[in-house]
Amino acid sequence: MPRLHWAAILYGHVNLDIAITGGVHSAEDVLKSIMAGGGVVLMASALHIHGIDHIRKVLDDMHYWLEKREYTSLWETRAASAAAPFQTLQHFDRGNYIKTLSSYSLRQTVGAF
């Protein structure tokens, strides 16, 4: 998710709260968003698709994940994967560059030559 990448880069470098929107449907999505530095996560589409009871499942799954890893609150995970701890963004960007290269696949083009 590019929005998580940018949230992680911006967290700690700008004086504002970051909201993650779009594509947040599960506890895993919420946790990744908070760990990237998000201060709030919007799940309107997930609730529209799954109904209001979906909140209970997401919260239960989040509590399970946090307890399993011995966190006492969600905020302890905030910005765990953000770029703020790095002295410069150079190391963070290099890691993302390598990730991007490793995910690249050569698409076959018809009639390119």
Side-chain angles (χ1 to χ4, degrees), residues 40-56:
V40 65
V41 179
L42 306 177
M43 299 182 63
S45 295
L47 298 178
H48 179 72
I49 292 167
H50 303 289
I52 195 74
D53 294 334
H54 184 64
I55 293 173
R56 176 52 42 208

Side-chain angles (χ1 to χ4, degrees), residues 23-86:
V24 181
H25 293 270
S26 67
E28 180 180 353
D29 296 334
V30 173
L31 290 162
K32 284 180 182 180
S33 298
I34 299 299
M35 292 175 87
V40 65
V41 179
L42 306 177
M43 299 182 63
S45 295
L47 298 178
H48 179 72
I49 292 167
H50 303 289
I52 195 74
D53 294 334
H54 184 64
I55 293 173
R56 176 52 42 208
K57 178 177 177 7
V58 170
L59 288 173
D60 289 345
D61 291 349
M62 286 174 44
H63 286 123
Y64 174 79
W65 189 92
L66 292 167
E67 286 177 9
K68 186 174 179 183
R69 287 157 183 83
E70 299 181 0
Y71 285 106
T72 57
S73 81
L74 178 62
W75 292 115
E76 288 180 41
T77 69
R78 187 164 187 208
S81 59
F86 295 98

